Amino acid sequence: MTDSKSTSPSDRQTVFVANRGEIALRIIRACRRLGLRVVCGFSEADRGAAYLACADDAICIGPAAAAKSYLNIPAVIRAAQLLEADLIHPGYGFLSENADFAEAVEKAGMTLVGPSAEIMRRMGDKVEAKAAMIAADVPCVPGPDSVLPNDPEAIAAIAEQIGYPVILKAAGGGGGRGMRIVREAAKLAEAFMLTRQEAQRFFGNPDIYMEKFLEKPRHVEIQILADAHGTALWLGDRDCSMQRRHQKLIEEAPAPGIDRGLIEEIGTRCARSCAEIGYVGAGTFEFLYEDGQFYFIEMNTRIQVEHPVTEMVTGLDIVALQIDVARGRPLPLSQEQVRTEGHAIECRINAEDPESFAPSPGRVSKMHAPGGPGVRVDTHIASGTEVSASYDSMIAKIIAFGVDRDEALSRARAALEEMQIEGVKTNIALHSQLLVDTGFAEGGVSIHHFEHWLEKREASNA
Ligand code: ADP
């Protein structure tokens, strides 16, 4: 405690967790470490969940359907007020990047663990974010930093200038939707119309922009953390190229085989741009990396699922630091004091059919989590947990640390072998297969690697 005045239980600050599952438990743990009171909102589907007992208090915020509970802004605000919260932590997903929610939290006199509504809005608009990054000298995918005009000839000219293939993207897009690849001029006008309609339908914003389509990039991202006193740090990089339909499956830190000098240059620019735009909180700059070049694609203004790999290699508690900067505290370290060491790999364990990828909800009849040196498991499930069909199918994350990538890989393999989950189908065996894939073991696969791997698996099963 750096406070000089003594803190009796009654003037301890309270954090309301506006999320569920493993990330809710992760936030509860960070609050405990900081000596804060922590309370949760839960839906009917999560009533009685074991992780809720780790909080100081919990209250029901609505039915199972997320739209009526975890996405219900008035219900969340009311619950936080009832439990006398000072801060609200939104986790990832749900309301975590919703600027209206950020505004509502502020209006209700509480503090969001995250950036201001204004910054969230700005970074949530991909065209505005791209313009801000270009201004801050962060390299972006070739293409204009403005929305496309409603004029087929002008659009065709922009595509010619960039060079085919190009990708059309919704300015307000997210979750891998509202994007279309165009490989030839003859297909451009129709693709533009379709993407615009989709953008309007899904995101309520018809603005479209265009950039060069990169054929075989890797997904590499930079973790940042910034306080309200002008300090912005970058905490190293992560490679999240192992994806299925834009959903990450395996993440690791650092990204293998990339020149450290180049990463440092990019990380430094990301941190500097945070200071320039007045960003406060944890955030991630996502890049595509191809042929030795980084291209910014978007910024996430929240904690990410894969933050543990960065925690393992830096030794920092990113969630605790994120809460502290939201409380107005200065970051307790300088960039020179951020040291990364070793290698960490995270496997996302989903309750799903390993062949069809269809969610597999149900009751976990048996659960055994692995352990041992360098193995961390972030999960809210235990024997008896009900996995609801109402939410994302990710139920656990296995994170393995090693002095180098080989050791991290072998610990991850052993951990996967040890883990047992019964009662729901999982992708544990799939992860075991991926970790012995020669391409992945070498390091540096592209974002299409998993699709190609699946095609090969299907061909050999046929
Ligand atoms: P979202 O917010 O929907 O996740 P992103 O802009 O982060 O959208 O893009 C999602 C994914 O789409 C990327 O991880 C990458 O796989 C692909 N993608 C996006 N832009 C490009 C591009 N210019 N070239 C190639 N692939 C791209």
Side-chain angles (χ1 to χ4, degrees):
M1 274 278 161
T2 49
D3 282 359
S4 52
K5 65 175 183 170
S6 69
T7 45
S8 71
S10 58
D11 52 40
R12 262 199 313 169
Q13 280 189 304
T14 296
V15 177
F16 180 88
V17 183
N19 213 301
R20 63 176 302 280
E22 72 88 17
I23 194 65
L25 181 55
R26 174 69 190 85
I27 297 163
I28 292 170
R29 287 177 176 150
C31 293
R32 286 261 168 275
R33 231 221 59 213
L34 294 170
L36 300 171
R37 186 172 163 262
V38 57
V39 296
C40 286
F42 63 86
S43 74
E44 293 288 1
D46 288 326
R47 184 185 293 280
Y51 71 89
L52 293 170
C54 303
D56 292 295
D57 206 348
I59 193 170
C60 184
I61 51 171
K68 296 193 169 157
S69 50
Y70 297 108
L71 286 170
N72 182 342
I73 296 178
V76 169
I77 298 282
R78 212 165 35 241
Q81 284 173 325
L82 271 172
L83 296 180
E84 301 181 327
D86 303 290
L87 298 108
I88 299 190
H89 198 308
Y92 53 67
F94 295 127
L95 296 170
S96 62
E97 291 184 290
N98 185 316
D100 293 339
F101 178 60
E103 231 159 53
V105 172
E106 202 178 313
K107 226 185 245 159
M110 293 177 280
T111 302
L112 184 78
V113 180
S116 67
E118 186 209 334
I119 295 250
M120 228 184 249
R121 233 171 235 131
R122 191 155 159 218
M123 292 297 135
D125 183 304
K126 293 182 176 188
V127 175
E128 275 201 47
K130 192 168 176 175
M133 290 309 115
I134 289 174
D137 260 346
V138 174
C140 293
V141 186
D145 59 342
S146 52
V147 300
L148 291 174
N150 215 349
D151 167 6
E153 271 178 34
I155 295 172
I158 294 168
E160 287 303 329
Q161 203 185 4
I162 295 173
Y164 287 92
V166 296
I167 182 167
L168 297 169
K169 298 169 76 169
R177 288 198 300 186
M179 289 186 279
R180 195 165 262 100
I181 304 160
V182 187
R183 295 194 175 272
E184 51 186 306
K187 302 260 170 74
L188 184 63
E190 195 197 348
F192 176 73
M193 249 177 43
L194 290 173
T195 314
R196 206 182 204 23
Q197 283 166 7
E198 241 171 62
Q200 178 64 52
R201 196 167 59 236
F202 291 136
F203 311 112
N205 173 0
D207 288 346
I208 302 294
Y209 67 110
M210 190 196 296
E211 56 190 29
K212 178 85 184 158
F213 177 70
L214 304 171
E215 295 280 3
K216 45 169 184 34
R218 290 167 62 182
H219 175 117
V220 179
E221 57 188 35
I222 302 282
Q223 173 74 54
I224 61 93
L225 195 55
D227 67 19
H229 306 274
T231 301
L233 306 174
W234 68 281
L235 307 181
D237 55 307
R238 295 186 285 256
D239 189 322
C240 315
S241 301
M242 192 69 93
Q243 311 181 345
R244 178 178 173 269
R245 299 197 177 159
H246 306 308
Q247 294 293 319
K248 296 162 186 167
L249 206 56
I250 300 177
E251 303 99 340
E252 60 184 306
I258 300 181
D259 178 69
R260 289 289 107 193
L262 178 59
I263 298 257
E264 190 168 334
E265 191 186 315
I266 297 295
T268 305
R269 285 188 198 182
C270 291
R272 203 169 54 208
S273 81
C274 283
E276 272 168 27
I277 62 178
Y279 190 88
V280 177
T284 302
F285 288 79
E286 295 194 332
F287 291 88
L288 295 176
Y289 173 85
E290 190 174 82
D291 297 332
Q293 303 264 6
F294 276 88
Y295 304 98
F296 170 82
I297 46 171
E298 69 166 337
M299 180 179 197
N300 291 319
T301 55
R302 55 173 166 82
I303 193 76
Q304 283 192 286
V305 173
E306 59 270 27
H307 75 275
V309 291
T310 301
E311 294 188 324
M312 297 293 259
V313 297
T314 58
L316 297 170
D317 182 336
I318 299 176
V319 180
L321 290 167
Q322 183 194 22
I323 294 169
D324 266 350
V325 298
R327 297 161 81 204
R329 304 200 165 188
L331 281 166
L333 74 172
S334 66
Q335 189 65 55
E336 291 68 40
Q337 290 169 310
V338 177
R339 294 237 166 77
T340 59
E341 220 176 289
H343 202 96
I345 295 178
E346 174 180 276
C347 296
R348 296 190 188 193
I349 308 302
N350 299 333
E352 67 186 15
D353 185 297
E355 295 293 326
S356 68
F357 300 102
S360 172
R363 187 172 170 277
V364 175
S365 54
K366 182 180 171 191
M367 153 81 167
H368 169 80
V375 174
R376 162 175 167 183
V377 179
D378 279 19
T379 185
H380 62 291
I381 64 158
S383 300
T385 301
E386 200 61 49
V387 177
S388 170
S390 301
Y391 312 115
D392 191 89
S393 61
M394 195 189 73
I395 53 172
K397 306 184 302 205
I398 297 183
I399 308 107
F401 173 82
V403 288
D404 55 21
R405 191 168 186 267
D406 280 346
E407 190 177 59
L409 269 172
S410 68
R411 282 179 170 165
R413 290 185 194 116
L416 286 163
E417 246 168 66
E418 188 186 330
M419 186 156 202
Q420 292 174 40
I421 297 178
E422 288 172 16
V424 296
K425 293 180 195 167
T426 75
N427 61 354
I428 295 175
L430 177 84
H431 274 292
S432 289
Q433 291 164 11
L434 285 173
L435 291 194
V436 294
D437 168 66
T438 41
F440 182 71
E442 266 169 34
V445 299
S446 89
I447 58 172
H448 305 298
H449 187 80
F450 184 67
E451 293 153 41
H452 295 154
W453 182 88
L454 271 185
E455 283 163 16
K456 269 192 263 165
R457 184 178 78 170
E458 266 150 40
S460 67
N461 284 350

